[in-house]
């Protein structure tokens, strides 16, 4: 039986991480296969990999909530990551130059 990630857990584990990095870490921790993600979230595996790599964000809050529910993460924290709009650190560096 898996335990739901409580408020504050996601932010403590992945303080400077992107939405995708947090999702991938929790997905792997929970042993969730990509096929289950595609079925539950309604995106292609290619789109999900791009989100996990930090190249893209879910397009809306409803999709972010599906990701959070699937990995049993705190929904508010996952939405906050989406709102922050963090993408890969390399892209953030390029945007600053």
């Amino acid at each position: 039986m898996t335990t739901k990630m409580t408020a504050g857990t996601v932010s403590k584990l992945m303080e400077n991480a992107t939405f995708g990095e947090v999702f991938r870490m929790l997905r792997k921790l929970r042993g969730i296969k990509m096929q289950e993600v595609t079925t539950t979230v309604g995106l292609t595996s290619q789109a999900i990999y791009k989100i996990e790599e930090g190249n893209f964000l879910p397009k809306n809050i409803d999709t972010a909530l599906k990701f959070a529910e699937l990995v049993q993460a705190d929904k508010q924290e996952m939405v906050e990551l989406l709102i922050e709009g963090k993408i890969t650190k390399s892209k953030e560096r390029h945007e600053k130059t």
Side-chain angles (χ1 to χ4, degrees), residues 8-72:
T9 304
V10 172
S11 60
K12 287 177 187 173
L13 289 175
M14 304 295 280
E15 189 171 301
N16 293 311
T18 65
F19 179 95
E21 290 168 333
V22 171
F23 175 75
R24 180 179 52 222
M25 186 266 311
L26 293 173
R27 177 178 71 80
K28 291 185 178 218
L29 181 70
R30 303 249 187 253
I32 299 169
K33 305 272 187 221
M34 186 57 67
Q35 183 178 359
E36 185 177 351
V37 179
T38 60
T39 301
T40 302
V41 177
L43 297 174
T44 66
S45 58
Q46 292 87 352
I48 294 165
Y49 282 124
K50 288 179 181 182
I51 289 169
E52 287 187 343
E53 290 296 317
N55 296 318
F56 294 100
L57 290 166
K59 292 189 179 207
N60 57 55
I61 290 175
D62 289 336
T63 303
L65 291 173
K66 288 179 186 178
F67 276 102
E69 188 172 307
L70 180 64
V71 295
Q72 300 174 344

